[in-house]
């Protein structure tokens, strides 16, 4: 078995990561480790730096210092357009569906970054709604369908590290449930997932570990089995 | 043949042909402007100078290196595009985050420098460029005489314009371009080299201008100021069509050429201003242009 296949293989490690937008110092030394096949959440209030953490991994912030290791490779000096090529799929909070492209064009847009991605047929199997609406303009879809599309789009590329930002935000419970099923399927396929979530009840049963963020730092790391004991801490920071 | 409103049909069709030819140039040039504006967010005021460079490249090639028209048709746009790419890499690149005005000023300044240099070297009087032998002569269509070269201009520019439209609207590369216009940062996150896409797009837009220049060389004088005269009209066409609309710039270009031609027949005094009148009306009725989307 090669080291890349071992369960404790480090897919992502952030060490003392600082991020800046212009003069604003947003992240103050983040340390995160995600092993292959893990589903890890970043919990925290709005403005705690969770989205910025994902954007910093993608090299989409103004400036960053520290270390971002992806698949064992330091990426601090890797240009933004080459991060995806390391097997990273990013689903932004605003979903980023392109209005000038139809559903299928949106699906086909991100280039393949690794072998082993889902085929168009498999994706349409997983999201039948997208098949029915494949010729519609991307932004004509409902919010839930757009979220499915934003997810499906990065599954096609073969990315094995998914960074998902607030995928349940503003969606109906039935759609949220569907997304939960999809995440379980992806986890079973062995994909590594970092999930930024507001909806703790959605994230709790899916995740292996949780990182709790506040003011651009990690304030607590919680294993799934410790959740019950640490509800007080969560309540303090999240107000759930 | 009978007269129409006192106008002999030869005159009417002759002016419509001239209008269509001018419209072909408007279409090629405004298409390039639209593509560049879409992805780069820069109003390329060097476009007229780049059109002139295309014509001059053809003329210089023939004069000094014996490069014939057909080779120049490919070579001149490639050379001028390479020059454009150099400008993009060294100068324009620094302005993408700034207000439109900076790009406009830079490209306008560059146009003045380029045109000024050519006036210095070649004078303002135009240089003749012969129509290639295989496109000399013409056809009598019965209702009018069609010079072969003029027919060729219309066909060539239509093919290039609609080929470009097809590429942008129907291919994978075009999807990158459309998506890059909407959200370049996300495209980067998907692994697409957006800076390279931007450079090539600028190069292509410039190449379209240079191609128009080569096509124009045999029917207009090859002169350093040929571009600045045309560019103002082309900008009016872009405003009428809607900034950034691909199909809009092509159709509006052809339509405005025709309207100009017809005005020459029915009210010649207004022929040089009619496009600007149309622009004013469109701005009042549809501020985003005929094909533009309301912001």
């Amino acid at each position: 078995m090669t080291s890349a296949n071992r369960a404790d293989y480090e897919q992502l490690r952030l060490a003392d990561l600082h991020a800046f937008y212009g003069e604003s110092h947003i992240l103050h030394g983040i340390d995160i480790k995600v092993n292959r096949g893990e589903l890890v959440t970043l919990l925290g209030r709005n403005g705690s730096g969770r989205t910025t953490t994902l954007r910093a991994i993608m090299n989409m912030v103004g400036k960053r210092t520290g270390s971002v290791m992806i698949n064992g490779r330091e990426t601090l000096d890797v240009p933004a357009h080459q991060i995806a090529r390391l097997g990273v799929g990013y689903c932004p909070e605003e979903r980023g569906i392109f209005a000038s492209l139809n559903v299928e064009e949106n699906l086909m847009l991100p280039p393949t970054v690794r072998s082993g991605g889902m085929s168009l047929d498999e994706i349409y199997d997983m999201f039948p709604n997208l098949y029915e609406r494949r010729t519609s303009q991307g932004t004509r879809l409902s919010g839930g369908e757009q979220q499915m599309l934003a997810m499906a789009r990065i599954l096609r590329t073969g990315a094995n590290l998914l960074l998902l930002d607030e995928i349940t935000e503003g969606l109906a419970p039935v759609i949220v449930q569907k997304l939960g099923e999809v995440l379980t399927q992806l986890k079973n396929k062995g994909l590594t997932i970092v999930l930024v979530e507001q909806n703790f009840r959605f994230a709790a049963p899916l995740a292996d570990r949780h990182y709790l963020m506040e003011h651009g730092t990690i304030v607590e790391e919680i294993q799934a089995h410790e959740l019950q004991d640490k509800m007080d801490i969560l309540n303090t920071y999240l107000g759930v | 043949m009978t007269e129409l409103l006192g106008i002999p049909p030869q005159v009417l069709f002759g002016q419509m042909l001239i209008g269509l030819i001018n419209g072909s140039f408007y279409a090629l040039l405004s298409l390039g402007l639209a593509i560049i504006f879409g992805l780069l967010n820069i109003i390329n005021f060097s476009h007229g100078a780049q059109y002139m460079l295309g014509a001059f490249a053809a003329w210089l090639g023939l004069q000094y290196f014996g490069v014939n028209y057909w080779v120049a048709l490919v070579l001149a746009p490639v050379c001028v595009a390479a020059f454009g790419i150099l400008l993009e890499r060294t100068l324009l690149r620094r302005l993408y985050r700034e207000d439109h005005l900076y790009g406009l000023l830079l490209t306008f300044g560059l146009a003045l420098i380029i045109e000024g240099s050519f006036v210095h070297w070649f004078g303002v009087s135009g240089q003749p460029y012969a129509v290639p032998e295989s496109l000399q002569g013409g056809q009598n269509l019965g209702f009018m005489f069609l010079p072969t070269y003029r027919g060729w201009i219309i066909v060539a520019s239509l093919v290039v314009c609609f080929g470009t439209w097809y590429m942008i609207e129907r291919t994978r590369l075009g999807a990158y371009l459309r998506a890059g216009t909407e959200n370049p940062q996300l495209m980067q996150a998907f692994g697409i080299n957006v800076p390279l896409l931007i450079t090539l797009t600028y190069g292509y837009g410039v190449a379209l201008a240079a191609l128009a220049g080569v096509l124009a060389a045999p029917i207009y004088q090859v002169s350093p100021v040929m571009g600045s005269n045309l560019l103002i009209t082309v900008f009016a066409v872009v405003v009428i069509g809607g900034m950034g609309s691909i199909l809009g710039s092509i159709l509006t270009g052809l339509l405005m050429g025709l309207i100009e031609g017809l005005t020459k027949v029915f009210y010649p005094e207004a022929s040089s201003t009619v496009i600007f009148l149309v622009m004013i009306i469109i701005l009042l009725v549809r501020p985003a242009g005929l094909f533009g989307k309301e912001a």
Side-chain angles (χ1 to χ4, degrees), chain A residues 55 81 84-85 99-100 105 108, chain B residues 172 178 182 185 189 191-192:
Chain A
R55 292 176 62 90
H81 67 265
R85 307 274 172 181
S100 53
E105 282 176 321
M108 301 303 288
Chain B
R172 186 85 186 259
R178 280 176 282 147
E182 269 188 63
Q185 230 196 352
I192 290 163

Side-chain angles (χ1 to χ4, degrees), chain A residues 117-134:
Chain A
M118 291 170 70
S119 68
L120 208 52
D121 288 341
E122 287 175 288
I123 282 175
Y124 284 145
D125 267 352
M126 193 179 250
F127 305 102
N129 283 13
L130 295 184
Y131 178 74
E132 284 162 27
R133 308 214 52 187
R134 64 191 180 282

Side-chain angles (χ1 to χ4, degrees), chain A residues 55 58 60-61 80-82 84-85 88 90 92 94-101 105 108-111 113 153-154 156, chain B residues 168-172 174-196 293:
Chain A
R55 292 176 62 90
M58 296 307 295
M60 292 168 80
V61 292
H81 67 265
Q82 283 173 15
R85 307 274 172 181
V88 187
Y90 172 60
E94 70 283 359
R95 297 178 191 136
I97 301 303
F98 293 100
S100 53
L101 273 58
E105 282 176 321
M108 301 303 288
L109 186 75
V113 294
R153 198 161 57 171
I154 51 174
R156 222 202 84 254
Chain B
I168 291 174
E169 294 297 332
R170 295 284 183 272
T171 69
R172 186 85 186 259
Y176 286 172
L177 204 70
R178 280 176 282 147
T181 300
E182 269 188 63
N183 191 344
Q185 230 196 352
L186 185 59
M187 290 291 283
Q188 299 245 77
F190 285 156
I192 290 163
N193 189 340
V194 173
L196 180 67
K293 293 189 187 83

Side-chain angles (χ1 to χ4, degrees), chain B residues 47-227:
Chain B
H47 218 66
Q50 284 150 348
Y51 158 82
M52 177 273 286
L53 284 178
F56 258 99
W59 179 78
L60 288 168
L62 183 66
Q63 202 75 3
Y64 296 103
F65 305 102
V67 175
N68 74 32
Y69 174 82
W70 299 103
V71 177
L73 210 51
V74 178
L75 205 58
V78 170
C79 293
V80 180
F83 174 65
I85 284 173
L86 188 73
L87 292 181
E88 196 278 332
R89 288 257 149 169
T90 52
L91 297 172
L92 283 177
R93 174 149 296 187
R94 299 157 197 275
L95 299 178
Y96 297 141
R97 289 159 194 268
E98 310 296 334
D99 191 86
H100 291 324
L101 209 54
Y102 289 89
L104 190 153
L105 284 173
L106 174 71
T107 53
F108 185 57
L110 285 170
L112 291 180
I113 293 171
I114 296 168
E115 285 173 1
S117 310
F118 273 70
V119 168
H120 175 74
W121 290 321
F122 301 101
V124 280
S125 63
Q127 317 284 346
Y129 188 99
V131 173
E133 226 166 89
S134 50
L135 295 176
Q136 284 172 1
Q139 303 285 321
N140 194 339
L141 302 180
F143 56 90
M144 66 175 287
F145 180 77
L146 175 68
T148 308
Y149 189 77
R150 303 195 172 228
W152 155 250
I153 289 179
I154 296 172
V155 172
S157 89
L158 283 180
V159 167
V160 171
C161 282
F162 284 99
T164 303
W165 171 81
Y166 183 87
M167 184 189 78
I168 291 174
E169 294 297 332
R170 295 284 183 272
T171 69
R172 186 85 186 259
L173 184 67
Y176 286 172
L177 204 70
R178 280 176 282 147
T181 300
E182 269 188 63
N183 191 344
Q185 230 196 352
L186 185 59
M187 290 291 283
Q188 299 245 77
F190 285 156
I192 290 163
N193 189 340
V194 173
L196 180 67
L197 188 67
I198 287 177
T199 302
L200 294 179
T201 301
Y202 188 72
Y204 187 74
V206 171
L208 285 178
L211 177 73
V214 183
L215 286 173
I219 54 167
Y220 302 128
Q221 297 279 338
V222 177
S223 125
V225 293
M226 65 192 284

